[in-house]
């Protein structure tokens, strides 16, 4: 069987080629190649009258009037041309005069004219449409078909003698021109060795205008009139990459007939005989001749056969098909190669070379060992990881790379891991162990072990990877998942998990579990004034101080922003939670040092104790935040322990905020005005604008109930701006009516922080037209505390407008006297808490007297609040106080009531209420 294997291979190759039709493509390629080797000129008996680009430029857009074709025909006949073939469509009528002129020209030509017919496919895939010349034309001419067949590769090679159109066979145009019979003759191969460029061509327009040189070339010639211009699209692809026009293709076919070059394929018998000879020759010489000699014989046979085929094709009209012969030669050459090459050894060497290239290029370490676990392969990746050169490790045991475990466990066994890998899908087992570098450093290694049966016994391999970076990254990710990145404290998730554990311990063994939620007071101002980098330093300093105060057993966490938490699990005898919270708060009485700066930061604390403050971690966190909110509102710098009333209070606050928003939308707010009088004579000097809320159900709501909520909500700025605008419009109205009443407005902190208050006041004065001296702005200490530099600049600009600024509630704060010196004030208002006890409390009288005296020295106006009787008013007059307000002179009242009581023309002074 081995003896006949090459010949069987050749037979299979030939069968595959014949079944797929590949030999046809090779046969055509060889024939075309022979055309390019040979070259012959046209006989010159066939001339193309070309409808070319110059003709279209001179005559106009195609199609032309048939009167021009008639004139052309007259010129051709007069020039002595022979047969004249028109490769032009004459199947449809044009204008009658032109058609009649063409019929007359055909009649005068005396039957020497050939007109084209052709099949045209229909768009819907039905039967082909036959285009014939009009009957009046065909009666005076010879019919001819111009269709040619395009082969599967898109080329035209064969030319038909004729084609059946309807019931009769119509000859092809070239056949009629050459005077051949078209009946029952098969198509022939056009001889494309005839150069298309050698076919004479005359421009249509030159013939039409009677060019003598052009007409002389047509005498006695066969003429084909047709389109050669690119824009007319009558083009065909022919062998050797050439493209010719339809008339030139007809001329080549006619030349092939006239030169007796109608090529035909030889019989297949010659091909079969040739294949038999080459097969017998190879069967005889396969084991008798050396492979090189057989290759030379095959190559020589192919060259000789192809040379003979080229000579036969050039001399006679025969085309020898040598395609299968060449395919057989190629198949025998392949069989010789397969027979001589040691594929098993070649594949082995290729695999070994590929393995070596892969092993040497791997970034990971690759180590292979023999069945005794001694290293046989050591790649550069392993050298980079362990620091050993290949020469240092080849032949040494694999266990040299492993650290002996401190607990006495055995080192990882490559034998066991590799044997186990054979039982695992994918064939590899991943093991982690401690490796040792050449310098003695130990590090974690990930090894993927595998094993295989080699030529020299069972062998092992391991891909090694240094995973110390990955381990560190995993630890880092775990740390970041459990800790705050800025402060290093536990984060909210870790705090929650620890709280869950503390609560579980408390359920098993009763003990106190408390959560302190801590918020920084005024931290936002640090960020705003000094920047977030300074704020971050403060947060880090707060974290350090909290950790120092929390003690062992407590966990300190950052919840986010400026909020922290301490969770504490206290046994009997531990510090009580109240004292613990007080100690934490006192710890922040000492300034925080951050670089070159020191910051005084107060903290507010909300405390939630397991049991009363919540039954789970989430509930403790929620209630701790509620207690913190309560502390920020009522006990800044101290702590509040959660109780159920706090939740109810805050829920009521949320409800109130919602109702206030609706009240602002519905216009339920009103301004009341309380008179301010000159104490010496009781005359009206101004009024303080005070907001009131007329609730649709509850009636008038006390400002003490809703204003604290307004001042700490998002509505603050909106309502404060409404108050200022409404008061200014009311004051302007009184001014226009002839009563210049100075209106005092309480400034909201939100108005100062949200934008340029001075610009807003100037715009409002311009909008309303109010005289600036009739507007008075009252400010409190909490407004002056924030951003003193900005507030100072703002007040100076407001005073430049002519608006008065008064310090309200003087004497109730911490640094009021310093503000009198620092800020540009026009006056101050003595708080009602001092005025109400003026007659009964000597301390209050001393304070009021000192304040009035100091104000006069500073040139400030003094207004006393809360005057409720004549005796108090008289006492203030005796102390030198000039102005006052209180229920004694009038309660806050709507604008209309104020006008009726104080602005009536007949009233010259204000009487006691």
């Amino acid at each position: 069987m081995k003896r006949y294997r090459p010949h069987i291979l050749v037979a299979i190759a030939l069968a595959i080629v014949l079944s797929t039709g590949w030999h046809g493509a090779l046969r055509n390629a060889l024939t075309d190649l022979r055309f390019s080797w040979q070259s012959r000129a046209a006989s010159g008996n066939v001339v193309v009258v070309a409808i070319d680009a110059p003709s279209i430029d001179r005559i106009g857009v195609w199609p032309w009037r048939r009167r021009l074709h008639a004139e052309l025909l007259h010129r051709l006949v007069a020039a002595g041309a022979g047969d004249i073939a028109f490769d032009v469509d004459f199947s449809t009528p044009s204008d009658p005069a032109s058609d009649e002129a063409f019929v007359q020209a055909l009649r005068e030509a005396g039957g020497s004219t050939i007109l084209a017919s052709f099949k045209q496919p229909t768009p819907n895939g039905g039967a082909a449409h036959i285009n014939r010349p009009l009957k009046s034309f065909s009666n005076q001419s010879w019919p001819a078909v111009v269709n040619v067949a395009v082969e599967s590769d898109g080329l035209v090679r064969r030319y038909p003698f004729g084609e059946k159109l309807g019931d009769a066979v119509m000859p092809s145009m070239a056949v009629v021109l050459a005077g051949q019979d078209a009946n029952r003759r098969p198509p022939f191969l056009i001889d494309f060795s005839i150069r298309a460029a050698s076919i004479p061509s005359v421009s249509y327009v030159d013939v039409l205008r009677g060019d003598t040189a052009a007409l002389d070339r047509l005498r006695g010639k066969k003429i084909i009139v047709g389109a050669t211009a690119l824009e007319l699209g009558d083009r065909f692809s022919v062998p050797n990459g050439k493209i010719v026009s339809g008339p030139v293709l007809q001329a080549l076919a006619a030349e092939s007939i006239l030169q007796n070059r109608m090529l035909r394929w030889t019989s297949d018998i010659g091909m079969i005989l040739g294949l038999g000879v080459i097969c017998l020759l190879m069967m005889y010489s396969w084991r008798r001749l050396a492979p090189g000699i057989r290759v030379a014989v095959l190559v020589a046979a192919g060259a000789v056969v192809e040379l003979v085929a080229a000579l036969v094709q050039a001399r006679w009209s025969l085309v020898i098909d040598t395609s299968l012969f060449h395919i057989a030669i190629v198949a025998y050459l392949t069989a010789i190669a397969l027979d001589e090459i040691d594929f098993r050894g070649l594949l082995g060497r290729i695999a070994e070379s590929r393995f070596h290239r892969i092993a040497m290029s791997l970034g990971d370490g690759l180590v292979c060992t023999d069945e005794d676990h001694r290293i046989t392969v050591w790649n550069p990746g392993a050298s980079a990881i362990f620091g050993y050169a290949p020469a240092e490790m080849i032949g040494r045991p694999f266990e040299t790379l492993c650290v002996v475990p401190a607990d006495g466990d055995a080192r990882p066994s490559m034998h066991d891991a590799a044997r186990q890998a054979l039982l695992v899908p994918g064939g590899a087992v991943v093991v982690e162990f401690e490796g040792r570098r050449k310098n003695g450093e130990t590090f974690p290694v990930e090894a993927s072990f595998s094993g295989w049966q080699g030529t020299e016994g069972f062998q092992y391999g391991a891909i090694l990877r240094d995973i110390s970076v990955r381990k560190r990254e995993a630890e880092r990710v775990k740390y970041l998942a459990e800790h705050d990145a800025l402060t290093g404290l536990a984060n909210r998730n870790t705090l929650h998990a620890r709280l869950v554990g503390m609560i579980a311990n408390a359920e098993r063994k009763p003990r106190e579990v408390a959560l302190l939620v801590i918020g920084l007071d005024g931290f936002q101002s640090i960020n705003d004034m000094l920047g977030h980098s300074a704020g971050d330093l403060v947060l880090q300093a707060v974290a350090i101080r909290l950790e120092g105060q929390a003690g062992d057993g407590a966990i300190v966490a950052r919840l986010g922003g400026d909020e922290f938490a301490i969770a504490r699990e206290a046994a009997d005898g531990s510090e009580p939670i109240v004292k613990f919270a007080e100690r934490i708060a006192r710890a922040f009485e000492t300034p925080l040092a951050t670089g070159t700066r020191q910051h005084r930061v107060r903290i507010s604390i909300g405390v939630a104790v397991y049991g009363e403050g919540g039954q789970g971690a989430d509930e403790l966190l929620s209630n701790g935040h509620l207690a913190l909110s309560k502390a920020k509102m009522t006990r800044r710098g101290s702590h509040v322990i959660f109780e159920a009333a706090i939740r109810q209070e805050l829920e009521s606050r949320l409800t109130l905020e919602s109702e206030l928003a609706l009240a602002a939308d519905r216009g339920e707010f009103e301004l009341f005005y309380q008179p301010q009088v000159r104490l010496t004579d009781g005359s009206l000097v101004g009024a303080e604008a005070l907001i009131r809320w007329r609730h649709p159900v509850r009636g008038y709501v006390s400002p003490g109930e809703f204003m604290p909520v307004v001042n700490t909500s998002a509505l603050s700025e909106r309502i404060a701006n409404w108050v200022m605008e409404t008061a200014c419009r009311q004051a302007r109205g009184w001014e226009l009516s002839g009563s210049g009443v100075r209106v005092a407005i309480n400034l909201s902190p939100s108005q100062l922080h949200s934008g340029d208050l001075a610009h807003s006041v100037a715009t409002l004065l311009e909008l309303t037209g109010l005289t600036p001296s009739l507007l008075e702005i009252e400010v409190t200490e909490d407004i002056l505390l924030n951003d003193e530099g900005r507030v100072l600049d703002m007040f100076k600009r407001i005073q430049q407008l002519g608006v008065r600024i008064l310090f309200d509630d003087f004497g109730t704060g911490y640094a009021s006297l310093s503000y009198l010196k620092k800020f540009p004030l026009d006056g101050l208002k003595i708080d009602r808490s001092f005025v109400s006890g003026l007659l009964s409390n000597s301390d209050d009288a001393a304070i009021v007297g000192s304040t009035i005296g100091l104000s006069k020295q500073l040139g400030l106006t003094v207004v006393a609040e809360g005057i409720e009787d004549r005796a108090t008013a008289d006492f203030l007059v005796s102390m030198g106080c000039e102005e006052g307000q209180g229920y004694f002179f009038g309660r806050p009242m709507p604008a209309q009531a104020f006008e009726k009581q104080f602005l009536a023309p007949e009233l010259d002074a204000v009487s006691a209420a």
Side-chain angles (χ1 to χ4, degrees):
M1 187 66 183
K2 185 176 180 181
R3 178 181 178 183
Y4 296 103
R5 187 168 56 192
H7 314 294
I8 295 173
L9 175 63
V10 172
I12 292 173
L14 291 173
I16 292 173
V17 168
L18 286 171
S19 63
T20 56
W22 292 346
H23 70 293
L26 178 60
R27 178 183 63 188
N28 289 334
L30 291 171
T31 305
D32 298 346
L33 188 61
R34 294 169 198 158
F35 287 145
S36 65
W37 291 344
Q38 305 163 12
S39 178
R40 64 184 75 234
S43 64
N45 292 327
V46 181
V47 180
V48 174
V49 175
I51 302 172
D52 52 9
S55 300
I56 294 175
D57 291 340
R58 292 291 299 275
I59 297 173
V61 179
W62 179 266
W64 299 328
R65 292 174 300 167
R66 287 180 182 151
R67 181 178 284 110
L68 295 176
H69 298 317
E71 186 177 346
L72 178 79
L73 193 54
H74 285 308
R75 296 280 188 183
L76 293 174
V77 172
D83 294 333
I84 303 168
F86 278 87
D87 189 4
V88 178
D89 185 8
F90 291 108
S91 61
T92 57
S94 64
D95 63 283
S98 290
D99 287 350
E100 182 58 33
F102 189 60
V103 170
Q104 185 62 33
L106 290 172
R107 186 179 294 115
E108 292 176 2
S112 63
T113 308
I114 305 166
L115 297 184
S117 298
F118 55 91
K119 286 183 178 180
Q120 187 172 5
T122 56
N124 57 6
H129 176 70
I130 301 174
N131 286 358
R132 301 176 186 271
L134 295 175
K135 189 171 183 181
S136 58
F137 299 161
S138 61
N139 289 340
Q140 307 297 328
S141 61
W142 294 95
V145 68
V146 293
N147 288 100
V148 292
V150 179
E151 298 187 4
S152 59
D153 58 359
L155 304 182
V156 175
R157 291 187 177 88
R158 293 174 174 78
Y159 190 84
F161 272 87
E163 191 165 353
K164 189 171 183 180
L165 298 181
D167 297 330
V169 175
M170 184 178 293
S172 295
M173 181 172 283
V175 174
V176 176
L177 272 177
Q180 296 290 315
D181 181 15
N183 290 327
R184 300 181 181 276
R185 300 183 67 178
F188 64 89
L189 291 172
I190 300 173
D191 187 1
F192 287 104
S193 64
I194 300 172
R195 299 190 302 276
S198 65
I199 296 174
S201 177
V202 177
S203 180
Y204 188 106
V205 70
D206 290 342
V207 176
L208 200 61
R209 69 186 181 183
D211 184 89
T212 304
L215 295 174
D216 288 343
R217 297 175 62 188
L218 303 178
R219 184 170 286 108
K221 307 297 183 182
K222 299 178 182 294
I223 307 299
I224 299 178
V225 181
T228 62
L230 287 175
E231 54 266 39
L232 298 183
D234 188 13
R235 319 289 290 178
F236 296 93
S237 296
V238 297
N240 298 320
K242 297 178 181 178
I243 298 176
V244 299
S245 62
V248 172
L249 182 64
Q250 299 293 337
L252 286 172
E255 284 285 348
S256 298
I257 298 172
L258 292 174
Q259 295 188 36
N260 197 25
R261 295 293 300 168
M262 296 177 289
L263 303 178
R264 303 186 185 280
W265 299 106
T266 57
S267 171
D268 292 337
I269 296 176
M271 175 64 66
I272 295 172
L273 290 175
L275 288 175
V277 170
I278 196 69
C279 288
L280 291 174
L281 180 61
M282 287 295 103
M283 291 177 69
Y284 173 79
S285 63
W286 198 259
R287 296 303 175 194
R288 292 180 174 84
L289 299 178
I293 297 176
R294 278 180 278 154
V295 170
V297 169
L298 288 170
V299 173
V304 169
V305 168
E306 192 56 36
L307 179 61
V308 170
L311 293 175
V312 169
Q313 185 171 320
R315 187 171 182 81
W316 295 285
S317 302
L318 294 175
V319 179
I320 300 176
D321 182 7
T322 60
S323 58
L324 293 179
F325 189 82
H326 288 300
I327 290 171
I329 289 175
V330 172
Y332 270 119
L333 290 174
T334 303
I336 292 172
L338 294 175
D339 193 47
E340 293 302 317
I341 296 174
D342 180 10
F343 277 96
R344 178 174 294 181
L346 178 63
L347 292 176
R349 288 191 296 274
I350 292 173
E352 183 179 351
S353 175
R354 180 176 297 175
F355 172 78
H356 186 267
R357 287 199 304 272
I358 293 173
M360 295 302 111
S361 63
L362 275 178
D364 294 330
L366 177 62
V367 177
C368 296
T369 71
D370 57 19
E371 57 185 355
D372 296 326
H373 310 307
R374 296 194 175 275
I375 296 173
T376 58
V377 175
W378 180 269
N379 78 335
S383 296
I385 294 173
F386 290 92
Y388 292 102
E392 296 178 278
M393 294 306 298
I394 299 297
R396 297 181 66 180
F398 177 81
E399 285 73 15
T400 306
L401 306 175
C402 306
V403 175
V404 177
D407 54 8
D409 292 344
R411 288 179 288 186
S413 169
M414 177 177 279
H415 177 273
D416 295 340
R419 290 291 183 184
Q420 184 182 353
L422 298 177
L423 306 176
V424 175
V429 170
V430 178
V431 176
E432 288 187 14
F433 64 90
E434 282 292 310
R436 185 188 301 278
R437 305 189 206 274
K438 184 178 180 180
N439 61 9
E441 177 189 353
T442 61
F443 64 101
V445 179
E446 181 184 79
S448 177
F449 291 108
S450 58
W452 64 92
Q453 183 65 47
T455 56
E456 299 178 359
F458 204 81
Q459 297 178 356
Y460 307 94
I463 296 177
L464 307 176
R465 184 171 299 163
D466 181 352
I467 58 173
S468 53
V469 174
R470 190 172 78 190
K471 289 280 190 181
R472 286 195 299 270
E473 287 299 322
E475 292 172 0
R476 174 65 177 164
V477 169
K478 183 175 182 296
Y479 177 84
L480 292 176
E482 297 176 350
H483 293 79
D484 175 57
L486 176 64
T487 62
L489 299 178
N491 60 15
R492 180 184 291 270
N493 293 334
T494 305
L495 174 68
H496 186 278
R498 291 287 297 273
L499 271 176
V500 170
M502 290 179 181
I503 292 171
N505 292 337
E507 289 174 349
R508 290 193 299 267
K509 184 178 181 180
R511 62 186 66 191
E512 182 184 66
V513 175
L515 174 69
L516 280 66
V517 179
I518 301 165
L520 308 187
D521 297 333
F523 175 73
Q524 186 59 43
S525 62
I526 296 176
N527 272 340
D528 294 340
M529 291 186 292
L530 303 178
H532 287 277
S533 58
D536 289 345
L537 293 175
V538 170
L539 293 174
Q540 291 170 345
V542 168
I544 294 171
R545 186 160 295 183
L546 288 175
E547 282 191 308
Q549 295 294 324
D552 298 335
I555 176 172
V556 183
R558 183 183 176 210
L559 301 179
D562 62 349
E563 288 190 358
F564 296 81
I566 300 176
R568 193 185 76 150
E569 186 178 23
D572 294 338
S574 299
E575 182 181 19
I577 188 62
V578 173
K579 290 187 176 181
F580 180 72
E582 291 174 350
R583 180 166 58 81
I584 297 294
R586 284 197 308 273
F588 285 86
E589 293 176 358
T590 305
L592 293 171
T594 58
T596 59
R597 287 182 175 272
Q598 287 193 336
H599 301 273
R600 288 191 173 274
V601 177
R602 292 193 305 174
I603 64 171
S604 297
I605 304 174
V607 182
V609 180
Y610 171 65
E612 295 180 1
Q615 297 297 319
D618 290 326
E619 198 172 354
L620 280 176
L621 281 165
S622 175
N623 293 337
H625 276 97
L626 292 178
L628 174 62
S629 299
K630 178 67 174 178
K632 282 181 173 290
M633 288 189 295
T634 61
R635 302 189 64 186
R636 281 184 176 268
S638 186
H639 71 278
V640 169
I641 298 178
F642 176 81
E643 53 188 19
I646 292 177
R647 180 176 292 277
Q648 296 173 359
E649 178 184 342
L650 293 177
E651 288 176 353
S652 298
R653 176 187 172 87
L654 291 175
T655 303
L656 185 58
E657 284 186 5
S658 177
E659 290 183 343
L660 286 169
L662 288 174
D665 295 336
R666 296 170 180 171
E668 296 174 2
F669 293 114
E670 299 178 9
L671 279 190
F672 278 27
Y673 298 89
Q674 186 174 25
Q676 294 176 338
V677 302
R678 185 174 292 108
L679 296 178
T680 56
D681 59 7
S683 60
L684 181 71
V685 294
E688 181 177 6
L690 300 168
I691 190 170
R692 294 294 185 265
W693 176 18
R694 184 174 7 219
H695 194 279
V697 176
R698 297 161 57 189
Y700 281 111
V701 180
S702 169
E705 181 178 345
F706 70 85
M707 281 308 295
V709 176
V710 169
N711 289 333
T712 56
S713 71
L715 293 169
S716 176
E717 183 180 0
R718 176 184 175 186
I719 294 176
N721 290 339
W722 175 85
V723 169
M724 181 175 286
E725 181 178 353
T726 304
C728 287
R729 291 188 184 279
Q730 182 62 66
R732 177 56 177 167
W734 289 335
E735 182 182 9
L736 292 175
S737 66
S739 300
V741 179
R742 186 185 69 208
V743 176
I745 302 168
N746 291 292
L747 186 66
S748 169
S750 61
Q751 290 176 289
L752 198 63
H753 298 152
S754 61
D756 190 345
L757 178 63
H759 176 73
S760 300
V761 171
T763 303
L764 185 58
L765 291 173
E766 183 179 358
L767 180 66
T768 60
L770 178 65
T771 300
S773 61
L774 296 180
L775 177 61
E776 190 172 85
I777 294 177
E778 298 181 0
V779 298
T780 55
E781 182 179 349
D782 58 342
I783 292 177
L784 303 179
L785 276 171
N786 296 312
D787 197 357
E788 292 183 357
R790 181 169 175 270
V791 173
L792 179 61
D793 176 69
M794 197 88 67
F795 284 178
K796 286 180 179 179
R797 291 165 56 201
I798 291 174
Q799 279 189 327
Q800 290 171 1
L801 296 173
V803 177
R804 287 167 50 84
I805 300 177
L806 264 68
F807 191 177
D808 195 11
D809 298 336
F810 182 79
T812 58
Y814 293 100
S816 298
L817 291 178
S818 66
Y819 292 147
L820 297 180
K821 174 183 176 182
K822 192 179 303 182
F823 289 95
L825 301 171
D826 295 292
L828 55 84
K829 297 183 74 173
I830 301 175
D831 188 69
R832 67 181 67 251
S833 62
F834 298 106
V835 174
S836 61
L838 189 62
L839 299 177
S840 59
N841 191 315
S842 59
D843 291 339
D844 287 346
I847 292 173
V848 172
S850 300
T851 302
I852 294 172
L854 178 63
S855 300
K856 286 184 175 294
Q857 292 180 12
L858 295 175
L860 302 177
T861 301
V862 180
V863 181
E865 296 182 301
I867 302 175
E868 298 187 0
D869 52 55
R870 169 61 68 185
T872 303
D874 292 340
F875 192 29
L876 287 168
V877 171
S878 66
M879 289 183 171
C881 183
E882 300 172 357
E883 298 179 9
Q885 68 183 82
Y887 286 178
F888 177 70
F889 304 107
R891 292 175 176 271
M893 61 191 72
Q896 291 181 349
F898 185 88
E899 293 172 1
K900 183 177 180 181
Q901 183 172 350
F902 297 103
L903 301 182
E906 64 272 21
L907 293 178
D908 297 326
V910 178
S911 59

